[in-house]
Amino acid sequence: MSTAVKEWIGLVARLLTGGVWIVAGAVKLPDPYESVAAVRAYDLLPEAVVPTVGQLLPVVEVVIGLALVLGLLTRGASVVSAVLFVAFIIGIASVWARGMTIDCGCFGGGGTDPDAASKYPWEIARDTALLAASVYLVALPRTRWAVDNLFWAPRPGPDTSPDHAEPDHVEPSDLTHEGER
């Protein structure tokens, strides 16, 4: 696959994943208590850290989303994105395995939802796809239209490095016969 195609795929992955993070965080920012309740409903974290996680998570989501959409510190933002998606997948799978029926709280809300079990496969599939996009960006953070491109010059490919350059002209004196040195 050509570098240009990889960069366009990366742009789509950046915009899609970043956009999801921005929306997910932005809808939770106005009501931090609802976000805390959603984190509490998973019954996975010690109660002492639930309020902090519930209040900080929307802010982190928006910051990660903005970094991805802008293409700023793409690899670092993608690492955090991937870690969060792994945590969310584990959280959803955990409540599903324990027979709990709660709204994931991914886009606000949270608490009891009698139809939640039927939504868990979709939520896990969605987060797995976004995890794959995040991992792609960890591996290949160079994308089109990224702020990162203003700060870091593109790396030369194997065909353009000085060590692999082909000489324009070879002098006969540069050629040696077997055994002559």
Side-chain angles (χ1 to χ4, degrees), residues 116-181:
S118 65
K119 297 175 187 172
Y120 293 153
W122 152 249
E123 292 165 349
I124 290 171
R126 176 199 61 217
D127 288 354
T128 300
L130 292 166
L131 170 61
S134 297
V135 169
Y136 181 91
L137 291 168
V138 170
L140 299 166
R142 299 288 179 158
T143 64
R144 298 286 173 151
W145 303 337
V147 173
D148 287 345
N149 297 336
L150 300 174
F151 298 111
W152 293 281
R155 294 183 208 141
D159 300 330
T160 60
S161 67
D163 295 339
H164 294 94
E166 293 288 328
D168 292 334
H169 176 70
V170 177
E171 292 292 325
S173 62
D174 291 340
L175 301 174
T176 61
H177 294 297
E178 194 80 27
E180 291 181 15
R181 294 241 178 218

Side-chain angles (χ1 to χ4, degrees), residues 12-173:
V12 171
R14 250 187 43 232
L15 295 178
L16 178 68
T17 306
V20 168
W21 281 125
I22 291 169
V23 171
V27 297
K28 290 183 254 187
L29 281 174
D31 191 355
Y33 298 108
E34 187 176 77
S35 181
V36 170
V39 171
R40 184 174 287 121
Y42 280 87
D43 196 26
L44 289 172
L45 299 174
E47 182 55 35
V49 299
V50 166
T52 303
V53 171
Q55 291 177 7
L56 286 180
L57 187 59
V59 174
V60 170
E61 290 172 340
V62 170
V63 169
I64 294 304
L66 288 172
L68 288 171
V69 167
L70 294 172
L72 179 63
L73 303 172
T74 303
R75 180 170 277 147
S78 298
V79 167
V80 174
S81 177
V83 169
L84 287 173
F85 281 123
V86 168
F88 294 161
I89 291 166
I90 290 169
I92 294 167
S94 169
V95 296
W96 193 12
R98 292 182 285 156
M100 299 171 68
T101 53
I102 62 169
D103 181 274
C104 76
C106 304
F107 296 95
T112 303
D113 177 3
D115 298 326
S118 65
K119 297 175 187 172
Y120 293 153
W122 152 249
E123 292 165 349
I124 290 171
R126 176 199 61 217
D127 288 354
T128 300
L130 292 166
L131 170 61
S134 297
V135 169
Y136 181 91
L137 291 168
V138 170
L140 299 166
R142 299 288 179 158
T143 64
R144 298 286 173 151
W145 303 337
V147 173
D148 287 345
N149 297 336
L150 300 174
F151 298 111
W152 293 281
R155 294 183 208 141
D159 300 330
T160 60
S161 67
D163 295 339
H164 294 94
E166 293 288 328
D168 292 334
H169 176 70
V170 177
E171 292 292 325
S173 62

